[in-house]
Amino acid sequence: MRGKGGPRAHAIALRTRLLAAMLGPLLGAAAIIGIGGATLISDVVRRTNDRVLRGALGAIAETVQVERGEVTLDLPPAAFGMLENSERDNVYYRIAVGPDLLNGYADLPAPDPATLAIDQPRFRFARFRDQDIRIAEVKRMLPRIERPVIVQVAETLDNRTMLIRRLIIALLIGEVVLVGVAVLLLRPALGWSLRPLARLRRTVEARDANLRPDFSPLDAGPLPNELELLATAFDHLLAQLDRATSGVRRFTADASHQMRTPLAILKVQIELARRGSAGAIDEIAEAVQRLERLVTQLLALARAEEGGIAPPFEEVDLQEVSKAVISRLINQAIQARIELHFEAVEGERFLVRAHRTLVFEIIANLIDNGVRYNRPGGNVTVRLDRDDHHILLSVRDDGPGIPPAYHKSVFERFFRGDSADHADGSGLGLAIVQSAASRMGASIWIETLDPGVAIIIRFPLFQQATSDERAATDA
């Protein structure tokens, strides 16, 4: 974002943003997999070692027999061989008949016989001789022996811990390698993905080499959908700039072309005034008046054709505006010996949703045309009517009229028909009227009268103007 008069503040590069956006979820997924993997490894190692411990327990429990009413035990060496491992875990065992020790370590934590199910091995962790151990134990009932026989086999956890640690380290190394490879692959992938954006940037930068501003649509080749929307929006902006600059160029050309004649006249008359010509002052005053009117109309045309921003619509009473325009132009009509008339239904309001200044320009230019191109003793009438959906504003005069062949041409800039050659108009009045009407969603047409002509503007009724205003705003 560029501050007023200050340098542009640099944001994080798009490539860096995308890389962070991709690595964030990737690292999160790696963390979740790591936690889940560590939990699964611990469970698998526990189950695997418990299975071996259970085998040793079963082998020892099977040797417990009853001979001549006495419980005997023949410890198999293979039972303890099962528990041998590289970490040389300590192995402990205990065989008891009721509370009496038959063989093994007397201080090995003994279970409550009531909590054990018969012939159902149980596993638990315990603390023995300052070491954590895993105990497998089972309760057996022997014939003619009332007391239960409790068989316990235990081992320390060094092998389990070391195996879990190795597997978790291997898992972490795999995840680090995976994330590293992903980072290495993501950078060229991002470069490839951002290539259309770089192509679009080069297309825009190429416009700087042109001597004339180029507002034609961008041609950056096929683009992804996201950049296609950006390019389309940029093309719309270029089109708006083209219209704006074209309007400025057209206004400049029109102004220079039309001002050349009155300025030349002023120059000549000033020179004549210096030589003492009596009529030069009057000619200078007339040329200044004509130049003033020309500048006023050029500015009005520029305002009527101003694009990019929709005019602020408001409730406008056409009857009130028409009377205000007639009051302002009444002196001009008197000097031209033209009578101005106003016709509308008494007491009725003719409300439209429009722009008051543009409505004023429309009526003023129509009346000015009617007065300027009429004959002495003629009439100009402003009439307001309505139908079911529209309000009609018409300005009628009984002058020479406009030939049907010129009904379209008269709305062009600086067009003046054969009948207007004697008048001092600039040919901008009806161009202003059409531009202003189109900006407010109103339509315009010409009707030939006998004698004279009527120029009619059709406005939507006030209650229907909201949708028309919205359409003009969207445009």
Side-chain angles (χ1 to χ4, degrees):
M1 181 177 180
R2 188 191 296 270
K4 185 176 181 180
R8 182 187 297 274
H10 293 283
I12 300 175
L14 183 58
R15 187 190 299 269
T16 304
R17 287 172 178 266
L18 291 174
L19 188 60
M22 293 180 180
L23 283 181
L26 182 61
L27 293 175
I32 294 173
I33 293 175
I35 295 173
T39 304
L40 180 61
I41 287 172
S42 299
D43 185 66
V44 170
V45 171
R46 179 184 60 79
R47 289 176 180 272
T48 301
N49 284 270
D50 282 354
R51 190 176 295 112
V52 177
L53 195 60
R54 180 173 183 160
L57 177 66
I60 294 174
E62 289 295 328
T63 64
V64 179
Q65 303 291 333
V66 177
E67 294 182 2
R68 299 176 183 178
E70 297 289 334
V71 178
T72 62
L73 175 65
D74 183 13
L75 289 176
F80 296 100
M82 295 181 187
L83 301 176
E84 291 183 358
N85 54 61
S86 60
E87 302 301 325
R88 298 186 179 277
D89 280 321
N90 294 328
V91 178
Y92 308 98
Y93 69 96
R94 178 177 179 274
I95 299 96
V97 180
D100 300 328
L101 179 66
L102 181 62
N103 200 344
Y105 295 84
D107 55 345
L108 191 67
D112 182 2
T115 62
L116 291 174
I118 298 174
D119 295 330
Q120 296 293 326
R122 186 179 70 177
F123 298 87
R124 62 189 173 95
F125 291 101
R127 188 78 177 169
F128 180 63
R129 296 183 180 180
D130 296 329
Q131 292 179 304
D132 292 323
I133 61 173
R134 180 72 167 172
I135 301 176
E137 51 198 10
V138 67
K139 180 172 74 173
R140 295 192 66 193
M141 298 300 297
L142 299 178
R144 299 184 300 278
I145 300 297
E146 295 181 357
R147 293 178 298 177
V149 177
I150 305 298
V151 181
Q152 293 178 284
V153 179
E155 67 174 351
T156 53
L157 304 179
D158 293 342
N159 183 64
R160 297 182 184 220
T161 303
M162 184 58 65
L163 182 58
I164 291 174
R165 184 180 295 116
R166 289 174 181 172
L167 292 175
I168 290 178
I169 290 175
L171 175 64
L172 291 178
I173 292 175
E175 289 190 334
V176 170
V177 171
L178 178 63
V179 172
V181 172
V183 171
L184 293 177
L185 294 178
L186 278 175
R187 293 193 67 84
L190 288 175
W192 174 80
S193 300
L194 296 176
R195 195 174 301 164
L197 184 59
R199 189 170 66 247
L200 183 62
R201 175 180 57 82
R202 289 193 298 270
T203 302
V204 175
E205 289 177 346
R207 301 290 178 94
D208 292 341
N210 298 334
L211 297 179
R212 282 188 64 184
D214 185 2
F215 298 115
S216 62
L218 297 176
D219 184 14
L223 296 173
N225 290 337
E226 297 80 2
L227 290 183
E228 186 67 36
L229 296 176
L230 175 62
T232 301
F234 195 76
D235 286 342
H236 290 163
L237 177 61
L238 289 177
Q240 291 181 353
L241 289 174
D242 190 23
R243 288 193 295 270
T245 55
S246 296
V248 172
R249 288 194 299 267
R250 188 167 57 247
F251 177 83
T252 304
D254 293 343
S256 61
H257 173 74
Q258 293 299 315
M259 288 181 181
R260 189 177 296 118
T261 299
L263 288 176
I265 294 175
L266 274 176
K267 186 176 180 180
V268 172
Q269 296 303 325
I270 289 174
E271 187 63 29
L272 291 176
R274 287 174 177 173
R275 298 178 181 180
S277 175
I281 299 300
D282 294 336
E283 293 292 337
I284 290 174
E286 184 178 348
V288 169
Q289 185 178 6
R290 182 176 179 183
L291 185 60
E292 180 186 11
R293 169 177 167 73
L294 176 61
V295 172
T296 301
Q297 286 202 308
L298 283 172
L299 292 176
L301 181 61
R303 183 167 57 248
E305 293 183 345
E306 185 181 35
I309 303 176
F313 289 102
E314 57 187 327
E315 178 183 323
V316 177
D317 187 349
L318 293 183
Q319 184 169 201
E320 183 267 329
V321 177
S322 298
K323 291 180 178 178
V325 176
I326 291 173
S327 297
R328 175 171 297 187
L329 299 181
I330 190 67
N331 288 333
Q332 177 186 349
I334 292 173
Q335 292 176 4
R337 292 186 293 166
I338 301 294
E339 290 192 15
L340 291 182
H341 306 274
F342 177 75
E343 297 180 0
V345 177
E346 187 67 27
E348 186 171 355
R349 300 186 69 193
F350 296 86
L351 299 179
V352 295
R353 191 80 168 171
H355 186 268
R356 182 181 179 85
T357 301
L358 294 182
V359 172
F360 193 97
E361 293 287 352
I362 287 175
I363 301 174
N365 278 278
L366 290 178
I367 293 177
D368 180 78
N369 270 22
V371 171
R372 192 175 299 275
Y373 298 109
N374 208 335
R375 54 183 175 76
N379 298 276
V380 174
T381 302
V382 180
R383 177 184 296 177
L384 294 177
D385 298 293
R386 72 167 66 233
D387 57 23
D388 293 337
H389 304 291
H390 303 90
I391 290 180
L392 304 178
L393 166 69
S394 62
V395 177
R396 305 163 182 263
D397 67 71
D398 52 5
I402 301 174
Y406 293 159
H407 281 189
K408 291 184 178 180
S409 303
V410 291
F411 295 107
E412 298 175 1
R413 293 161 171 262
F414 306 113
F415 178 85
R416 303 178 69 205
D418 298 335
S419 61
D421 290 341
H422 67 283
D424 60 352
S426 60
L428 287 174
L430 292 183
I432 295 172
V433 170
Q434 185 182 53
S435 295
S438 62
R439 290 202 70 198
M440 295 184 293
S443 58
I444 180 171
W445 73 93
I446 298 175
E447 288 185 1
T448 300
L449 305 178
D450 188 18
V453 68
I455 300 178
I456 304 170
I457 312 290
R458 181 167 61 188
F459 293 91
L461 285 176
F462 173 72
Q463 59 268 26
Q464 294 184 352
T466 303
S467 60
D468 293 284
E469 174 190 357
R470 187 161 50 249
T473 302
D474 293 340

